[in-house]
Amino acid sequence: PNSIGSQFQVNDGVSSIQFIHQELWTIVPLDWTGFGPQFDSRTPGVPGYIKVSGENPTIPAQYLSLPSGQEFQYTPNALWGKNLDRLVWSHHSDKIIADKHLEVDESNKPHYIVSLSLPTIGWWGEKVMGALIVDPVTGAGVDKFIPLGEVPTWVDRVEAMHLVHQNLDYHSKFAGGWFNRSIYGNSVLAATETHFGYGSNGEPVFQTGITAH
């Protein structure tokens, strides 16, 4: 519809790369552009999302329109009680939202995967403990915390990329201890950019480079 561009925007901050039926795709959600469109009674919700092939650059991006009554209600840009973060906090105020992104299950149904973490050393040492699989239409699943190791296999990513990068960087810089890192500086390394992708066996992996610091 012509109104999509004025009411909704691409939210690439919560996009995801995943295998769907053995093909690599990027799933890019749409979200509200601001306050105004959400007060328009003629707009029942976020109407769809975008799929982009990760294997064939000649395939045009696909806009997938959601059926009537299945528009997204709970999204990162939604207001008040329908805001995804607020919905999660209302059920898990003791945990940190480490990451969130949209993934599609084996039945092509989209869900928000919300990774929850806790500090492990005082207020520091943040570690992902598990995830929520939230239905963006109804909010169902927000009350069901799934520990690591029990997350369904169709979910490709639970770990938060920034925490993976932080842990790699800390290990590289402080492998010789704090005094070596801060005073002597012998063999101090640092992690470069961290990326999410898939190995030769099709399993999801994080990749980073290591350089001298």
Side-chain angles (χ1 to χ4, degrees):
N2 295 330
S3 62
I4 285 181
S6 62
Q7 293 181 310
F8 305 98
Q9 62 186 343
V10 167
N11 191 345
D12 57 0
V14 290
S15 62
S16 66
I17 301 171
Q18 67 171 122
F19 269 114
I20 304 173
H21 304 305
Q22 305 305 311
E23 293 185 32
L24 188 63
W25 293 88
T26 297
I27 305 300
V28 186
L30 297 182
D31 211 337
W32 299 99
T33 56
F35 294 93
Q38 299 186 53
F39 292 104
D40 186 347
S41 61
R42 297 168 298 175
T43 306
V46 177
Y49 61 96
I50 298 168
K51 284 175 63 177
V52 181
S53 175
E55 299 180 4
N56 189 343
T58 66
I59 297 177
Q62 302 175 20
Y63 169 67
L64 286 85
S65 180
L66 297 166
S68 177
Q70 294 298 306
E71 295 89 354
F72 291 174
Q73 304 297 317
Y74 298 92
T75 70
N77 288 354
L79 296 175
W80 301 305
K82 291 186 176 181
N83 178 269
L84 182 62
D85 284 5
R86 182 171 289 191
L87 177 70
V88 171
W89 285 329
S90 70
H91 290 79
H92 304 277
S93 59
D94 60 327
K95 296 182 178 65
I96 301 167
I97 298 175
D99 183 80
K100 54 182 178 289
H101 60 277
L102 193 72
E103 288 197 29
V104 178
D105 67 17
E106 295 166 340
S107 301
N108 293 316
K109 179 176 174 56
H111 306 262
Y112 272 108
I113 310 301
V114 182
S115 304
L116 299 180
S117 62
L118 286 172
T120 58
I121 307 170
W123 295 103
W124 296 273
E126 188 179 340
K127 180 180 179 181
V128 171
M129 298 297 179
L132 310 173
I133 300 176
V134 181
D135 186 332
V137 181
T138 65
V142 71
D143 58 337
K144 298 176 182 176
F145 177 74
I146 307 172
L148 289 179
E150 299 179 22
V151 178
T153 56
W154 63 264
V155 176
D156 282 16
R157 178 165 62 87
V158 173
E159 288 289 350
M161 189 182 302
H162 73 280
L163 293 181
V164 171
H165 178 86
Q166 185 180 82
N167 289 336
L168 289 168
D169 197 49
Y170 284 171
H171 179 76
S172 300
K173 289 178 179 178
F174 296 100
W178 184 88
F179 279 102
N180 180 66
R181 163 68 176 84
S182 303
I183 299 174
Y184 304 117
N186 293 325
S187 301
V188 176
L189 303 174
T192 59
E193 265 192 87
T194 300
H195 301 275
F196 175 78
Y198 294 84
S200 58
N201 60 356
E203 289 296 309
V205 295
F206 287 100
Q207 300 170 318
T208 191
I210 301 294
T211 186
H213 183 67

